[in-house]
Amino acid sequence: MTILVCGEALVDLVPVHEGPLLAPKLGGGPFNVAVAIGRLGSKVAFLSRVSTDPFGDQILESLRGAGVDTSWVQRGDEPTTLAMTTLASDGSAQYSFYADGTADRLVQDPGDIPDDVHVLSFGTLSLLYQPGASVYAKLLKRAHAAGKLTMLDPNIRPAAIDSTSGDITADEFRTRFKSWLPDVDILKVSEDDSHWLGLGTKGTTVDDWLAAGVSAVVMTRGGDGLSVFRASEEISVPGVAVDVVDTIGAGDTVHGALLQFLNEETIVTSSAVRDMGREDWEEALSFAARAAAITVSRPGADPPWASEAPRD
């Protein structure tokens, strides 16, 4: 069974911890998710449009090195998206983006989804920048209608929304987000992103998201661990204590580890997710927390390999 990860790959310009210099690191939420899944051992493919520039070549080389199938990748001579990253004293990251006319936002609809693709993942900038955002939204809807398991991480980047020069406002993005929910089986959000999307601040509740059609809402709480909400039940696991270098790619590792767990356990339909018991979720969340702890213990988005993050 194949997991198809849909979205952008880009280059993060990350501060070098010993000085003011910036180092280029491959990234982008969907790219990181695909790499995490591949390193953890599940069959995974990546759908995006990647530049033919040297950064694009490095992106493909890195994906293949992690065992990711790149046959779904489209190429174009537009430049690679760049993200300028700043780190706070606690290792948390903030981003600004250079994405005008870049390759990933010009992705084309891939057509029919093969039967061996059982799971599709969506997230981050690919849901924001047009015309690609509409391509991915249509694919999400089509995949869900075909009975594929779908997972979404909006991975909110306020600076990117602010930089779209009037293409979409924050409230318009929140409206767009609500339109996706009927086609999402698993919604993964950080605690900060949930507040930005209106949870607890605009009268929105997790039950509203579940009522819209989502089977499970997974929430990351940084060092405080992970929770899943489903049918008026909350299941939580603690975080893993670790010396944090930075938090780049932590949520993406959670995303990838959860999908790797579900794929390995053949939990690849909406009904199978709804049927998961408390112990199933505790095992899945604990595995994701251990994987994310490894990622934050080293610089940049560097998800663990299966040998570093065993299931038991």
Side-chain angles (χ1 to χ4, degrees):
M1 293 178 289
T2 298
I3 301 168
L4 180 61
V5 180
C6 310
E8 80 280 354
L10 51 76
V11 171
D12 284 318
L13 300 177
V14 181
V16 176
H17 291 274
E18 293 78 11
L21 300 179
L22 296 174
K25 300 287 186 180
L26 303 183
F31 170 88
N32 296 335
V33 171
V35 168
I37 296 169
R39 289 184 176 184
L40 290 171
S42 276
K43 189 175 181 181
V44 59
F46 187 60
L47 168 64
S48 185
R49 181 178 172 90
V50 172
S51 177
T52 55
D53 66 16
F55 283 141
D57 293 339
Q58 291 175 33
I59 286 168
L60 288 185
E61 181 180 355
S62 183
L63 287 166
R64 291 166 182 154
V68 180
D69 176 5
T70 60
S71 63
W72 290 70
V73 173
Q74 305 162 17
R75 303 297 300 271
D77 58 8
E78 307 84 13
T80 298
T81 298
L82 300 178
M84 185 80 72
T85 308
T86 57
L87 298 175
S89 58
D90 63 356
S92 60
Q94 299 293 326
Y95 304 89
S96 56
F97 297 93
Y98 299 87
D100 287 347
T102 51
D104 48 38
R105 65 191 300 169
L106 299 177
V107 67
Q108 300 293 309
D109 192 306
D112 294 337
I113 306 168
D115 290 341
D116 70 326
V117 174
H118 290 77
V119 182
L120 287 91
S121 163
F122 299 85
T124 321
L125 295 182
S126 60
L127 303 170
L128 172 64
Y129 291 130
Q130 295 289 14
S134 293
V135 172
Y136 288 119
K138 291 176 182 176
L139 181 60
L140 168 65
K141 189 175 188 67
R142 195 163 73 242
H144 189 263
K148 314 288 186 180
L149 183 71
T150 58
M151 184 166 176
L152 169 70
D153 179 3
N155 209 1
I156 302 301
R157 299 290 185 241
I161 294 174
D162 292 343
S163 69
T164 54
S165 303
D167 286 351
I168 187 170
T169 66
D171 283 343
E172 287 170 342
F173 184 86
R174 293 183 183 104
T175 298
R176 184 188 292 178
F177 164 76
K178 291 178 182 177
S179 75
W180 299 324
L181 295 180
D183 301 307
V184 174
D185 293 310
I186 303 174
L187 173 65
K188 181 261 168 192
V189 290
S190 70
E191 201 165 27
D192 287 344
D193 286 352
S194 72
H195 294 155
W196 191 94
L197 289 165
L199 195 68
T201 60
K202 295 182 180 294
T204 300
T205 67
V206 171
D207 286 342
D208 292 329
W209 291 345
L210 295 171
V214 177
S215 298
V217 177
V218 174
M219 186 177 296
T220 59
R221 306 182 188 277
D224 293 330
L226 305 171
S227 298
V228 62
F229 300 85
R230 55 177 195 151
S232 301
E233 178 186 28
E234 178 181 351
I235 303 167
S236 298
V237 301
V240 176
V242 67
D243 291 331
V244 176
V245 174
D246 63 51
T247 63
I248 300 171
D252 304 326
T253 301
V254 168
H255 189 147
L258 285 174
L259 287 183
Q260 197 277 338
F261 178 95
L262 296 176
N263 195 54
E264 192 171 272
E265 295 295 320
T266 323
I267 302 172
V268 292
T269 63
S270 301
S271 59
V273 169
R274 292 193 181 96
D275 288 342
M276 287 176 68
R278 172 175 285 270
E279 291 184 0
D280 297 327
W281 273 114
E282 288 175 344
E283 185 180 357
L285 295 175
S286 295
F287 173 61
R290 293 195 302 273
I294 295 171
T295 298
V296 302
S297 72
R298 48 203 192 192
D302 188 4
W305 296 83
S307 60
E308 299 176 290
R311 284 276 301 274
D312 298 324

